[in-house]
């Protein structure tokens, strides 16, 4: 009897291999051959899952986004927030990728962000992710307080979280400093 292959599981495994290679060597080092070797599948299996390298990269980018979203959801379910404002804070901390265990995801996310500056398809995918995050943050901020422009606050918070991610990765800020900056911004938001 032929072996059954879970196509989606294989695609996720390949995406994990792409992300590991990006984390170790940068986006430019990702090749189909290296991805296949890292995922422990044949090059043919990679090519059956993805029609092109660009499609594979776009899937890996979405995969990272899903992981961050799932981790945020898990955090919110495991330790329910005491208020809508603290829900916003928990989500902002997850988006910022400041913790040591999030460093690999942060490096991969920023590699994709840099590539998106010259790759319209990746830029389109990232704009979609940011639009979804802004919409979620806008709803949460609107629920949390009587602020005049929740959408503007959501845009600012998302930009701050992204900026802090970059600052921590290059060593301009420590994770602790970045956490304090994010916390101070959130505290000012609810005054």
């Amino acid at each position: 009897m032929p072996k059954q292959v879970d196509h989606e599981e294989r695609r996720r495994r390949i995406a994990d291999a792409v992300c590991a290679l990006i984390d170790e060597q940068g986006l430019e080092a990702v090749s189909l051959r290296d991805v296949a070797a890292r995922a422990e599948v044949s090059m043919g299996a990679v090519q059956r899952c993805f029609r092109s390298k660009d499609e594979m990269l776009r899937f890996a980018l979405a995969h990272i986004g899903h992981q961050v979203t799932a981790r945020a959801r898990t955090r919110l379910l495991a330790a329910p927030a005491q208020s809508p404002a603290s829900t916003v804070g928990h989500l902002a901390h997850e988006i910022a990728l400041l913790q040591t265990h999030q460093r690999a995801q942060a490096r991969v996310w920023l590699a994709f962000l840099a590539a998106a500056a010259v790759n319209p398809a990746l830029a389109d995918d990232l704009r979609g992710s940011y639009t979804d995050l802004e919409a979620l943050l806008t709803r949460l901020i609107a629920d949390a307080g009587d602020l005049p422009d929740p959408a503007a606050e959501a845009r600012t918070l998302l930009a701050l979280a992204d900026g802090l991610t970059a600052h921590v990765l290059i060593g301009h800020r420590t994770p602790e400093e970045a956490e304090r900056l994010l916390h101070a911004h959130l505290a000012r938001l609810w005054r």
Side-chain angles (χ1 to χ4, degrees), residues 57-172:
L57 291 174
R58 291 178 72 189
F59 183 84
L61 172 59
H63 183 62
I64 283 286
H66 293 306
Q67 289 177 332
V68 172
T69 301
R71 191 177 55 247
R73 185 179 301 115
T74 299
R75 178 177 178 175
L76 293 174
L77 292 174
Q82 301 300 312
S83 69
S86 60
T87 298
V88 172
H90 289 323
L91 183 58
H93 280 88
E94 288 301 325
I95 292 169
L97 301 172
L98 301 176
Q99 302 301 312
T100 302
H101 67 277
Q102 298 168 328
R103 211 64 87 233
Q105 281 183 331
R107 284 189 293 270
V108 172
W109 183 260
L110 288 179
F112 276 120
L113 185 63
V118 295
N119 182 321
L122 286 176
D124 189 48
D125 291 347
L126 279 171
R127 279 192 303 274
S129 293
Y130 283 130
T131 298
D132 292 345
L133 281 171
E134 280 181 17
L136 174 59
L137 284 168
T138 298
R139 283 194 309 275
L140 291 172
I141 290 169
D143 290 346
D146 188 26
L147 296 171
D149 192 350
E153 297 298 347
R155 287 189 298 272
T156 301
L157 184 56
L158 187 55
L160 175 63
D162 252 9
L164 289 173
T165 302
H167 284 235
V168 168
L169 278 182
I170 65 167
H172 183 65

Side-chain angles (χ1 to χ4, degrees), residues 4-5 12 25 40 47 57 66 190:
Q4 292 290 334
V5 175
R12 286 188 297 271
Q25 302 171 27
E40 298 179 343
Q47 292 168 327
L57 291 174
H66 293 306
W190 308 123

